[in-house]
Structures are given as C-alpha cells and as structure tokens.
Amino acid sequence: MSDDTRADDTRAIEEGAKKSGILWLTLDRPRLAWHTWHDGAIYLVTGGEEQALPGLDALDRVHVTLRSKDNGARLVEFEAAVAVVDQAAAADAVAALAKERLNALDSEHLTERWARDSTVLRLTPSPL
C-alpha cells in the first residue's frame, strides 16, 4: 500500500468516525456501538449500564465498519488495535466521550459511574 493510499484511508476513517456517532464492530456477531473520535482514535464505553460489547476488552484487534449517516452505505472498513483506557490518566478522552453520551440519566455523575462500573476502550485504526 502506497503512502498516498494509506493517507487517504486514514482521512476516510477520521472523517467517517467524526460524521457518524455509531459504528459496527465484528465481535461474536456484528455489534452496533456509539463512540467518539478523539485525538486520532475511536473511544467507546462498555459494561455496567452502557452498551454491551462482549469480549471487546479481551481483544488485541477488532474489525470496524463505518457507514454513511445519509444512506447506510459502507464508507470504510479497517482493523483497529484495542486498548483499555486508564480513565483517570485519559480524562480529556473520557470527557469527550461523555459529551457524546445521549440520554444519560445521570449525566452529572456519568464519568464517576464509568470509572466504577464500565470499561473505556481506545480503538486505534490501521487502514486495510
């Protein structure tokens, strides 16, 4: 893959992740997940009262598909490295993720609940 192609793929991933708040992960089956794009990566939360993404935190890599908000067409697919986030050390990323969390009943204490009950993950894209 040429450097130009890799750069185009990286731009497509970033643009797609910023435009759509959802993505598809290939886990035990395709799973829809909400996320946020922050600092060159996708952040999402699972567990507790948040979305169920079984086994994601045990993976080294995951297959991701971003689709168009307009027509649902596939925009880009890629592999991403999976890493559990130290929520205290990545407070800016957790705050960005919390900002995107719609309809949270406890938005005032959301990040404290995540620290107690949930896992925040960082998906670092690697274009195919």
Side-chain angles (χ1 to χ4, degrees):
M1 178 182 297
S2 74
D3 288 343
D4 288 342
T5 301
R6 191 171 292 114
D8 288 346
D9 288 348
T10 300
R11 278 192 293 275
I13 291 167
E14 180 174 357
E15 183 177 327
K18 284 180 175 179
K19 285 186 176 180
S20 178
I22 59 170
L23 50 73
W24 289 93
L25 301 171
T26 302
L27 298 172
D28 57 329
R29 62 178 172 78
R31 298 271 182 167
L32 182 67
W34 68 270
H35 71 280
T36 194
W37 178 266
H38 178 76
D39 196 24
I42 292 166
Y43 286 84
L44 45 82
V45 61
T46 184
E49 295 178 28
E50 298 301 331
Q51 59 198 345
L53 301 170
L56 181 58
D57 57 346
L59 296 176
D60 292 328
R61 303 190 68 68
V62 67
H63 188 84
V64 181
T65 303
L66 295 172
R67 296 193 171 275
S68 168
K69 281 177 67 171
D70 298 328
N71 61 18
R74 182 187 64 79
L75 292 175
V76 64
E77 292 184 43
F78 56 95
E79 294 293 314
V82 179
V84 174
V85 172
D86 176 339
Q87 295 182 48
D92 57 334
V94 173
L97 185 60
K99 183 179 172 187
E100 297 299 319
R101 176 60 166 94
L102 302 177
N103 304 318
L105 297 175
D106 62 344
S107 57
E108 185 177 318
H109 301 287
L110 185 62
T111 57
E112 290 93 352
R113 178 171 54 82
W114 286 354
R116 186 180 61 247
D117 302 332
S118 303
T119 303
V120 173
L121 299 157
R122 176 184 169 110
L123 307 182
T124 305
S126 300
L128 293 175

